Amino acid sequence: MRTLEEVQATLQIAKLQKEELQKTIHCLSFGENVSSADYCLLELDDTLCKLIEAGESLVIRGDTDEHAVLCTKDRTYDLKIAETSNMLMFVPDCRTPDQLTNSQENSHIVHTQIWGFSNSYWELRKQRPKLKKLKKVLMENPYEGPALGGKEEDTENRYTMEDLLESIQASEEELKTSLEAVHACQIDGYWRMLDFDYEMKLLGHVTQMVDSESWALNRVPLQTCLEELAPLEPKQMIEHCLNCYGKRYSENDDILYALDEDKVCRGMALMLLQNAVKFNLREFQEVWQQSVPEGMSTRLDQLKSVALVDRSSRPETINLLRVEDLSEDTLERFNQLFTLREKWTEDDITPYIKDLCGEKQSTGALLTKHARSSMQNGIKVFNSRRPVAT
């Protein structure tokens, strides 16, 4: 233990005036068996600090082969180790200068033990949730409708919300939003994705009934749909289909749905494109328009991020290209896109990179970093800055 006299002698050697220093002097010493591996430091911003102070939890998610992320209730953060040349020491009950008072006239020593130390800390950066895995696990056992002829349903590979939170690197709110986006529904306590053909079968039942009953597209009655279609499909599935492709509202105690033109047209287009490598664009547009309910209009802008039009081919073609099937990694995504097509217009490529943008980042900034622009027939096009790996 250092004495006050020893401290003052050290100050003289260092040519420090004690009048310029605090009256309280901390003398630090290492406790027994102290190791840098005992603790991990995590740097938190004000928002995250307030969440901890309010009693909320921060959860680290990721399998052994994944880079770990940290999640709040509604956000996901990348975890990255930052090295520092300064040793960071953990000193319980050590008071900072703003916590000290100089009420005492004479200097005095406070002996404090160091509990641990580190030369690195975890820093956080907000990032997109990693949701590609969600569709993969849900498609291990898609729901194809009620089991027929006494056949037992496959009970393997079914997931509760708790199971998904253990497996998917996303916050709970982000996960719920994504489940809604992929048209998943809860069946017997498990989250299931519908087999696409079965989903289209349900949508076909609804649209055929709208046509046969001559209902307005924005006034589809839930109760009548459930009663009329109950012999064909479970009521839960009919209502789920209406929730996926329409907007629910109430009027005079009746529950009605306004069918969403863009969602219905998009679903029908996916059904037509799923089994075709390429489709003659003109023929596709004719068949597509005939497949949707009367009163709805199909437009190519309804297919952004799910289908790609090739105006340079003769005849012009269209093929399925869903952004959800591309890599979540930015470099790999651009490599995939430039492998598919050497040069892209901004309008064509934007739907396929928009989801890669971070906070306050634009698609223009992404293109500037990962692509080179040039003019072709008076139109700006983008090609890869790097050799494309095939």
Side-chain angles (χ1 to χ4, degrees), residues 46-58 72-74:
D46 288 342
T47 301
L48 293 174
C49 279
K50 289 176 181 175
L51 290 178
I52 291 290
E53 291 167 356
E56 295 193 28
S57 298
L58 304 181
T72 64
K73 191 174 181 179
D74 59 359

